[in-house]
Amino acid sequence: MKTLYALTAAIGITFSGLAAAQDPIVIKFSHVAAADTPKGQAAEYFKKQAEARTKGRVKVEIYANSTLYKDKEELEALQMGSVQMLAPVAGKFGPAGVKEFEVFDLPYMFPSEAALHRVTQGPVGASLLKKLEGRGMMGLSFWDAGFRVLSSNKPIQTPDQAKGQKLRINSSKVNQSIMKSIGAIPQTMAFSEVYQALQTGVVDGADGNLSNLYTQKQHEVQKYVTLTYHTYSGYVVVVNKGFWEKLPADIRGELEAAMKDATAFNAKVAAEDDAKALAAIRATGKTDVHTPTPEERAAWIKAMAPVQDEMASRIGKDVINAVRKETASVASN
């Protein structure tokens, strides 16, 4: 009987070990945007590719729309290991100690999408991602979400009209400087709180991309949108460094391939969604969408452009010059 009990116990331990070995690796992917935004769609695409490529050895759980963490909390949650993956706006890494990423917040830094991708998909982007490792993060990719516009419940067609307006921004010293350059009053608040703040008049308007403006229904409480396209609106996909380094090499390789696929998918849907969001906002008839004339655009550039040099000591002249060199090479081709 003792032999039988021992055999039974051994079999139980064996099956328990097999079950444990077959448990999937869980990646909690938290973000603050809606599921139908470019970021939300790319996250879902990554999940699908990651689970398929690893044949179920990895399970990706997506927590969209601030359901798990708000944007003020998520970086700390990642560093603590409470979540494994995020896709915050690039400028959010400035307050986290990697100020070089605020180069993406600088106004009119990227004259075209091609110039932007020359940076994010080239050696400059790779060197920036490498800087995150000292903060307990691994940078995996850059995801697009168009360029930022200005919205308000007051006319905002020219920089002069922005004076005195309280405009919501995400947490970024550069964005604060941008708002001050046009005489606006920057108001930092969590993304999930913006709709109510606009609705109740806590803020007059906001700075953001068209996809978020539409999917968060902010256009319903904004009378005016001006297509300034002044700043890149994009994200940096990051993973907890300790978690990533402990993954089996073959799993890590498949996840890198899945991320590459998701990044290509993101670039496609970002361009499509920008156009769709703009058309949908116009179709509601609730918001006046203004395209600046060449003279008005020149006025916006003139008002904001000094921020590039003003922030150089914070971000690093070498980073700014490296980005300028890359974007200039695209413009000259």
Side-chain angles (χ1 to χ4, degrees):
M1 287 298 291
K2 288 182 180 179
T3 303
L4 180 60
Y5 286 141
L7 181 60
T8 302
I11 292 171
I13 291 169
T14 300
F15 278 113
S16 174
L18 286 172
Q22 292 171 356
D23 286 344
I25 299 166
V26 175
I27 297 176
K28 291 183 179 179
F29 190 158
S30 174
H31 66 85
V32 302
D36 53 350
T37 60
K39 176 161 64 171
Q41 293 178 68
E44 291 292 343
Y45 193 85
F46 170 74
K47 168 184 169 68
K48 179 181 177 181
Q49 292 295 312
E51 292 177 355
R53 284 179 172 276
T54 62
K55 296 179 172 57
R57 291 171 65 193
V58 169
K59 180 183 178 184
V60 181
E61 298 176 353
I62 307 292
Y63 297 90
N65 229 1
S66 304
T67 53
L68 200 57
Y69 294 101
K70 294 183 179 181
D71 50 2
K72 289 182 179 179
E73 309 161 344
E74 59 179 8
L75 273 181
E76 184 178 354
L78 181 85
Q79 290 169 316
M80 292 176 63
S82 300
V83 292
Q84 287 72 48
M85 192 172 287
L86 303 174
V89 293
K92 191 174 290 184
F93 295 101
V98 194
K99 297 174 183 177
E100 293 89 341
F101 276 87
E102 290 181 352
V103 72
F104 292 103
D105 284 342
L106 290 173
Y108 298 107
M109 195 72 184
F110 303 96
S112 67
E113 192 174 88
L116 167 69
H117 289 163
R118 179 67 173 258
V119 173
T120 59
Q121 297 174 13
V124 174
S127 68
L128 287 170
L129 293 178
K130 190 75 176 173
K131 293 179 183 296
L132 295 171
E133 294 183 24
R135 300 288 170 173
M137 297 175 276
M138 297 289 292
L140 300 182
S141 188
F142 292 90
W143 283 358
D144 295 343
F147 286 80
R148 302 175 86 84
V149 303
L150 293 176
S151 62
S152 180
N153 278 314
K154 301 176 182 179
I156 197 167
Q157 294 182 3
T158 64
D160 286 343
Q161 290 181 324
K163 288 180 180 177
Q165 291 206 42
K166 294 179 290 182
L167 301 180
R168 181 267 171 180
I169 59 169
N170 56 33
S171 179
S172 163
K173 293 291 185 182
V174 178
N175 283 337
Q176 287 181 17
S177 185
I178 289 172
M179 293 300 113
K180 291 176 181 177
S181 75
I182 56 175
I185 303 168
Q187 303 287 303
T188 302
M189 66 176 60
F191 183 64
S192 58
E193 299 169 4
V194 178
Y195 180 92
Q196 186 175 6
L198 293 168
Q199 186 181 42
T200 58
V202 171
V203 295
D204 299 307
D207 147 278
N209 65 58
L210 288 166
S211 180
N212 285 341
L213 187 69
Y214 179 67
T215 58
Q216 296 293 322
K217 303 186 185 299
Q218 292 174 11
H219 66 287
E220 295 180 355
V221 288
Q222 293 283 264
K223 295 179 182 177
Y224 303 97
V225 172
T226 296
L227 304 179
T228 51
Y229 296 132
H230 56 283
T231 302
Y232 170 58
S233 184
Y235 311 102
V236 184
V237 187
V238 290
V239 66
N240 177 279
K241 186 173 183 285
F243 169 81
W244 187 254
E245 291 177 339
K246 289 177 183 176
L247 291 174
D250 62 326
I251 291 288
R252 205 161 50 237
E254 294 296 349
L255 292 178
E256 287 171 346
M259 183 56 63
K260 185 176 180 180
D261 291 344
T263 299
F265 176 80
N266 163 259
K268 176 177 178 291
V269 297
E272 293 172 350
D273 276 39
D274 207 52
K276 288 178 182 177
L278 180 57
I281 291 169
R282 281 178 165 149
T284 65
K286 295 180 179 180
T287 307
D288 176 63
V289 179
H290 178 69
T291 301
T293 65
E295 293 77 18
E296 288 170 344
R297 179 171 172 79
W300 284 107
I301 293 173
K302 183 179 180 181
M304 292 183 179
V307 175
Q308 291 190 13
D309 292 327
E310 181 185 329
M311 289 287 111
S313 60
R314 174 180 172 84
I315 296 170
K317 290 182 180 179
D318 55 338
V319 175
I320 294 174
N321 288 336
V323 170
R324 284 174 174 166
K325 183 179 179 180
E326 290 297 299
T327 57
S329 67
V330 173
S332 63
N333 288 340

